[in-house]
Amino acid sequence: MIEFEHVSKHYGNTVALDDVSFTVPDGTVSVLIGPSGCGKSTSLRLVNRLLEPNDGYVRVDGTPVREFPPQILRRGIGYVIQSVGLLPHMTVEENIGLVPKLLGCDKRDRSRRAGELLELIGLSPDEYRNKYPIQLSGGEAQRVGVARALAANPPILLMDEPFGAVDPLNRETLQQEFISIQRKLRKTVIFVTHDLDEAVRVADRIVLMRDGNVVQTGAPEEILGAPANDFVREFVGSDRALKRLARFIVGDFMIDAPSVDRGAHLDWNRYRDFEVVYVTDDHRHLLGAVPRDGRAAMSSAEDAMDDALVGAVSFGSTLRDALAEILNTELAETPVVDEHGHLVGRITMAEIYSATPRRIV
Amino acid sequence: MIDRERSVVDKVTLSGALVGGGGLFLPVFIVKEHRLDAGFPVSFAGMSLPLFFLALAFVVAIAIVGVLPGLRRRSRNLPAVLAALCLFALLWAGTGIGGAAELAEYEFERGRVSPSSGFWIVLLAILIIVTHSMKQSTSVWLRGCVPLAFVATLIALFVVGVIDDVAFVREYYTREDRFVRELTAHIGIAAGAVGAAVAVGVPTGILAYRIRSLERPLFAVVNGVQTIPSLALFGLMIAPLALISQRFPILRELGVRGVGNTPALLALFLYALLPIVRNTYTSLAVMDPAVIHAGTGMGMTRRQLMWQVEVPISLPIILAGVRVSMVQTIGNTTVAALIGAGGLGNFVFQGLGQAAPDLIVMGVIPIVILALLADRVFQLISEWAVPGPKRGAV
Ligand SMILES: Nc1ncnc2c1ncn2[C@@H]1O[C@H](COP(=O)(O)OP(=O)(O)OP(=O)(O)O)[C@@H](O)[C@H]1O
Ligand SMILES: [Mg+2]
């Protein structure tokens, strides 16, 4: 657990943090977000004692950090810095092995660990192990920076815009990777970003800052659903409802999908309440869909179905993806499949509305 | 842009070839009965027609490389360099062997062969071509090895005895013992001055970076020293050192006097400081702060940060400064002979005094070779000592 307790920090006359308090519970991700210069990086550096507060306490597991020797403290905290800062005279492997080396790990273990981590961040160990930082793209270097922070398996991670230089597509992949790694490892993480979508995706809690103050803290749903003031409302933007959908997993909202076997005759009387019936094979693989007003009285469901109508979403994706999929097809709903392509349910606009807070008129 | 530049005629190589070709028609050497004889000029053609055409062929080969961009690109100008090396060997061997033959013809038993205008002009052409080609080369090994190949060729010809009759080699043989002594002294003085400059300059550079208020005065002093002409600086050393050595007899016994090696070492040391102080300072000033931030954030101690991050990153820049300083000091040590220090400069100034150009050249050639060797050796050391992707792999 990391606690900020009435922390203030100034650089000369610049007040970087002004009486900031928030808590990061064990095993959760807190995202610090806010406009440039609001004190996000400063907050991180107070945790590993690269800076000392002028006032207040920063505690790790209840102990004020000032009671730890700084080097010992830092070796136990993974730190991804905003400007990456790979050491130019060391290979990727040596960079990743930095903290383990400081902790006295032998070379074989460091090398093995570097291989595992490269694999984890999606860079082929054989190809990248012996490269030097100037031979990496900005995004690759940033990933190596993340691997370096994870190398000694620290319980606490401080990540300062860890995916800032990665293109949007890879960025999303890395966020997914980060989420699944975090689900396994359950680290206590402070994650800094400018990007609200990223915050919504990875955060358990968001700490929204402005000019050295905390403006609002809460789960992403709360921040998006109930902005505390005009600044927050403006910050989260008019598409906040859309962003909020990204918090919800399809698997938690989907409803049963009507389906018929490909060989069976489709009797619409049995599906009076449905606009669409899905067609599957013997193993419940989704093959296509038959809309109510489509080619009706054919011999088998397979003949009647229109496979162009189905794009599907996986049950692990978000309601935002589901909404996008619904808007993509001609149907007012989308089927949900598991990782093998088996039909497991469907999402309609009703489920999407149900996740959106609305006043009854 | 670069491609278009490469696709046209290489003007430098071509003009090098033209200069060399012109030089072939001038007298290569003068055969003299004795040191002060006016002598008889001999040209390549006059010496041996086949030799002349062979030399001309090398020049033409260089010119062809100069006008064929495709060949130049594919071979990285290597054929031009090789042809220049052959021309170099031919020039020296021709002068040595041809000269000996002419001497026999004139029956100058104790005579000598003095290189003349043609010789120097062809040498200049070779220098133009080779330095130009080396500038374009990206291979460290090539840039290191080519100058060494020229030096090795010359030394081989000397050792085998082919150029024994050339005037300055003759000068060498008449003072072999002294040559070795002065060479050792030259190396010793230069190395001592640079060694001291490294020992003082690196900490000074660090200090200038760490303590901002020291930066200006320190650089004012170090830069200021460089603006004093070397001769004046040597002169300036004499009076105070003479005074000190009179006051403190112990120092005098240790060899501290107004003239001799001590003032020379001191002046050369002051000269050598600037590149080292400046590069040390620069290496720290250009270091990416993120790197220090990262090292500290990973939990390095102050000492680990210094030895594992700051030193390895700044080393290449500091080494480059030492290299410049070394080459410069080898040259400046020549002047030190004027205030009674040892070194090859003694031959140069003796030659000047006696109006004996052969003696001057005899002193200058080993100085040039020393400077060249120091430069290449330092280049190779820094390439080898500095981790990172090797050039060309990037
Ligand atoms: N070393 C420093 N000296 C003086 N002022 C500083 C220093 N570091 C940061 N500041 C100031 O403190 C404030 C907070 O800086 P901080 O780096 O924490 O911002 P940030 O939220 O991380 O911004 P960004 O999103 O641009 O990275 C800014 O106004 C900045 O100008
Ligand atoms: Mg920042």
Side-chain angles (χ1 to χ4, degrees), chain A residues 11 14 16 34-43 45 82 160-161 194:
Chain A
Y11 302 100
T14 319
S36 194
C38 67
K40 307 181 292 291
S41 299
T42 302
S43 305
R45 289 178 207 172
Q82 189 167 3
D160 202 342
E161 305 197 21
H194 270 119

Side-chain angles (χ1 to χ4, degrees), chain A residues 45 48 50 71 74-75 77 79 81 83-90 98-99 101-102 132 134-135 148, chain B residues 288 290-302 304 308-310 312-313 387-389 393-394:
Chain A
R45 289 178 207 172
N48 61 9
L50 287 173
Q71 275 84 28
R74 289 171 194 152
R75 289 172 197 175
I77 297 179
Y79 182 34
I81 75 173
S83 36
V84 190
L86 295 182
L87 304 186
H89 60 297
M90 294 185 183
L98 204 63
V99 182
K101 188 175 172 196
L102 294 175
Y132 282 89
I134 52 164
Q135 295 170 301
R148 178 175 65 179
Chain B
D288 184 359
V291 161
I292 305 294
H293 182 175
T296 319
M298 299 297 121
M300 286 186 158
T301 60
R302 188 57 228 156
Q304 286 167 330
Q308 295 178 28
V309 179
E310 289 172 323
I313 293 178
V394 183

Side-chain angles (χ1 to χ4, degrees), chain B residues 159-192:
Chain B
V159 169
V160 173
V162 172
I163 54 175
D164 277 358
D165 285 321
V166 177
F168 40 83
V169 180
R170 195 52 74 67
E171 296 285 353
Y172 162 79
Y173 276 120
T174 58
R175 21 175 99 63
E176 217 172 334
D177 287 347
R178 215 184 122 208
F179 180 86
V180 174
R181 223 168 42 237
E182 300 291 16
L183 180 68
T184 324
H186 200 106
I187 296 174
I189 292 172

